[in-house]
């Protein structure tokens, strides 16, 4: 079974054909650093990129990077088998991102290759389990979401590829992103229904500062907040400057954490009193709200927040 990494606030793509970018990526701090063999690599560089990425994965994982992944080429491209055969030789590989997943058979193929390749390796080889993330990029993939999400136990999340989706449906991307509302809602809902831990939203194509101080553009923050409201818990990034914004917005903020701790502390006392529902700050708290608060605390801990200190600060919180 795949290890279930539930913290992919930022998924940063690194071109697999650039040794300079691969070296620089070791100093970055994205939750999921993804070496790309697909869109950012020209056809004549595919073979070299495989070798460069393989060498990059073979190096120890830097402490500030939670996860390293490889985006292979699509199954339909005919290049996926060569990509998998190369990168699966690294004992450090944990995650594979599969583009253009149109049907369950795409993930079944990848799973079969993984199973066969790992079976061929020496049994004493110590390696982490493999996780899969699937890119949803077409109308066909959207209509096949139920089959896709149930196709393999290795699947951990869905990623929305807006530009390819817009190409497939002849859509024009607008700043409001309303043309993607149905697709994004369907993806977030399908991932939740299948109990997949990661739902990763579209790329923000704006990365150069529009404020004159070098800070990320406002559009990135707006897109992250919009994605979070729709049920996504992470964002694809194409530039290192986008990572911090994604990490901040898709992680619990300070005010939200305080609320969650107050709810959990008071709910424990309410349960001891036999109360299934109670109020806090004039608002009703019942089981679903308490569960949400516990989830926020868990995410805070995963993000490195000292939740224990917050609990001690609010240990006197009582249910109203």
């Amino acid at each position: 079974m795949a290890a279930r990494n539930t913290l992919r606030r930022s998924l940063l793509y690194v071109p697999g054909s650039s040794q300079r970018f691969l070296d620089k990526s070791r100093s970055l701090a994205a939750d999921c650093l993804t070496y790309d063999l697909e869109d950012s690599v020209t056809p004549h560089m595919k073979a070299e990129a495989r070798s460069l990425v393989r060498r990059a994965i073979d190096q120890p994982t830097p402490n500030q990077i939670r996860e390293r992944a490889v985006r292979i080429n699509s199954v339909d491209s005919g290049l996926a088998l060569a990509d998998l055969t190369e990168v699966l030789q690294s004992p450090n590989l944990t995650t594979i991102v599969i583009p253009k997943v149109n049907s369950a058979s795409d993930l079944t193929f990848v799973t079969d290759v993984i199973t066969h390749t790992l079976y061929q390796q020496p049994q004493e080889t110590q390696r982490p389990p493999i996780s899969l993330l699937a890119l949803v990029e077409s109308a066909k993939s959207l209509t096949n979401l139920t089959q896709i999400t149930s196709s393999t136990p290795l699947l951990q999340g869905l990623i929305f590829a807006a530009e390819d989706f817009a190409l497939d449906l002849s859509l024009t991307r607008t700043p409001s992103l309303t043309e993607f509302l149905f697709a994004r809602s369907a993806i977030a809902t399908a991932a939740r229904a299948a109990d997949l831990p990661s739902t990763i939203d579209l790329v923000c194509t704006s990365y150069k500062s529009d404020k004159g101080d070098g800070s990320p553009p406002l559009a990135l923050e707006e897109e992250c907040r919009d994605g979070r409201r729709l049920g996504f818990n992470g964002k694809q990034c194409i530039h290192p400057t986008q990572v911090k914004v994604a990490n901040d917005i898709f992680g619990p903020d300070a005010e939200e954490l305080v609320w969650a701790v107050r709810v959990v502390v008071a709910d424990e006392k309410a349960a001891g009193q036999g109360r299934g529902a109670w109020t806090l700050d004039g608002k009703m708290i019942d089981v679903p709200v308490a569960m949400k608060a516990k989830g926020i605390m868990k995410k805070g801990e995963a993000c490195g927040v000292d939740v224990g200190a917050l609990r001690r600060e609010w240990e006197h919180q009582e249910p109203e």
Side-chain angles (χ1 to χ4, degrees), residues 195-263:
D195 195 28
L196 302 180
S198 292
T199 47
I200 303 174
D201 203 8
L202 46 71
V203 166
C204 178
T205 55
S206 300
Y207 62 89
K208 293 185 178 179
S209 176
D210 53 10
K211 307 173 187 176
D213 59 359
S215 59
L218 185 60
L220 174 62
E221 182 177 336
E222 293 174 347
E223 282 191 20
C224 287
R225 295 193 186 283
D226 185 45
R228 180 170 173 168
R229 285 191 290 266
L230 285 172
F232 288 85
N233 54 27
K235 191 165 185 68
Q236 298 168 87
C237 301
I238 55 173
H239 195 275
T241 57
Q242 297 179 324
V243 170
K244 186 178 185 305
V245 175
N247 284 351
D248 287 347
I249 293 178
F250 285 102
D253 60 36
E255 184 176 330
E256 184 181 42
L257 264 174
V258 168
W259 171 83
V261 169
R262 292 178 64 205
V263 169

Side-chain angles (χ1 to χ4, degrees), residues 35-77:
Y35 303 122
D36 187 27
L37 295 175
E38 195 214 10
D39 284 349
S40 67
V41 180
T42 57
H44 73 281
M45 291 290 290
K46 296 289 187 182
E48 182 178 350
R50 289 187 197 110
S51 298
L52 292 176
V53 167
R54 162 73 188 281
R55 288 201 294 270
I57 303 171
D58 282 344
Q59 298 179 58
T61 304
N63 292 332
Q64 77 280 5
I65 297 174
R66 295 178 182 271
E67 175 182 44
R68 288 186 300 175
V70 175
R71 179 166 71 170
I72 62 173
N73 288 280
S74 68
V75 173
D76 287 346
S77 72

Side-chain angles (χ1 to χ4, degrees), residues 130-152:
I130 301 294
S131 303
L132 304 181
L133 300 174
L135 277 151
V136 177
E137 310 192 28
S138 67
K140 186 176 181 180
S141 63
L142 203 65
T143 57
N144 288 333
L145 279 176
T146 300
Q147 292 80 11
I148 288 170
T149 55
S150 60
S151 62
T152 172

